[in-house]
Amino acid sequence: MATTTTAEPAGHSTKLKRGITTLLLFFFFIVGDTLGAGIYTLVGTMAADVGGVLWVPLVLALVLALLTAGTYAELITKYPHAGGAARYAERAFDKPYVTFLIGFLMLAAGITTAAALANAFAGDYLQALVPDIPTIPVAIGFIALLVLVNLRGVRESLIANVGATVVEMTGLIIIVVVAAIVFGSGGGEPARLTSFAEGVPPLSGAFAALCSRSARPSPC
């Protein structure tokens, strides 16, 4: 029985369509991912852990973030392929189960992060405006909305991320400016910058705050 084959048209490609054509979207993605919304949801917890030296775990987190960025920059130039940490684990250990484990942990961290932030959005922040609104349904709806945006396309999700990052950066800039004005007018208490929380050992408090610093996977 004869079989026939159909040749692919000239120029036909099975590769994914490149939907991101500007580095600006990547820039805002990295900025938003690095800042993390946890800066809005965990500052109170961090302050309770360490007290006035809240800036210490933030500086430590910055150092760790710079080390991570440098490591990724080195690895991506050596292994310019998609996959991130799972890809690098595969190259380092050449064990499929290690690659799977790293990828699974990264995925699990992302899911729990999204859940925690959705809960904070629906609870602490939205309830300040609408006191009687139920937390869990709103959190689920918020996650569902994000899923729909991501299903729409990578470009659309990055565009939405630009808006979220601008809002996040604007809030932080406002806080910094207001704090500078207060300190400049003599309304602050600089001595509190070196005071630890009562009953909390300095090292353990700083370490606990560092672990709770980010909505991303922490060094802990």
Side-chain angles (χ1 to χ4, degrees):
M1 180 177 178
T3 59
T4 58
T5 58
T6 303
E8 291 186 351
H12 177 76
S13 175
T14 58
K15 293 183 178 180
L16 294 175
K17 178 182 178 181
R18 184 181 296 275
I20 304 172
T21 57
T22 172
L23 292 178
L24 185 63
L25 294 178
F26 279 118
F27 171 77
F28 276 99
F29 171 76
I30 297 301
V31 171
D33 194 43
T34 302
L35 289 177
I39 191 69
Y40 287 102
T41 60
L42 297 176
V43 169
T45 302
M46 294 168 59
D49 288 334
V50 296
V53 292
L54 178 64
W55 56 273
V56 172
L58 293 177
V59 171
L60 293 176
L62 173 62
V63 172
L64 292 177
L66 291 175
L67 292 175
T68 302
T71 301
Y72 269 83
E74 177 69 20
L75 289 172
I76 195 60
T77 55
K78 187 174 180 62
Y79 307 113
H81 303 283
R87 171 71 177 182
Y88 307 142
E90 177 188 11
R91 297 293 299 181
F93 300 101
D94 195 24
K95 302 291 184 181
Y97 66 87
V98 174
T99 303
F100 169 79
L101 180 62
I102 296 299
F104 176 80
L105 291 177
M106 295 295 291
L107 178 62
I111 293 174
T112 53
T113 293
L117 294 179
N119 184 65
F121 166 77
D124 297 337
Y125 287 94
L126 193 58
Q127 284 187 354
L129 301 175
V130 187
D132 297 329
I133 194 169
T135 300
I136 295 180
V138 173
I140 294 175
F142 181 70
I143 292 179
L145 177 62
L146 295 181
V147 170
L148 292 176
V149 173
N150 280 275
L151 290 177
R152 181 64 181 85
V154 174
R155 182 178 178 82
E156 288 76 9
S157 64
L158 286 180
I159 291 175
N161 180 76
V162 170
T165 301
V166 169
V167 171
E168 182 179 12
M169 292 176 60
T170 302
L172 293 177
I173 291 173
I174 292 174
I175 292 173
V176 171
V177 171
V178 171
I181 293 175
V182 171
F183 273 99
S185 61
E189 298 181 29
R192 297 189 62 183
L193 294 175
T194 57
S195 63
F196 285 87
E198 295 183 4
V200 178
L203 290 179
S204 62
F207 184 73
L210 179 62
C211 290
S212 64
R213 153 64 185 90
S214 176
R216 290 179 47 78
S218 73
C220 306

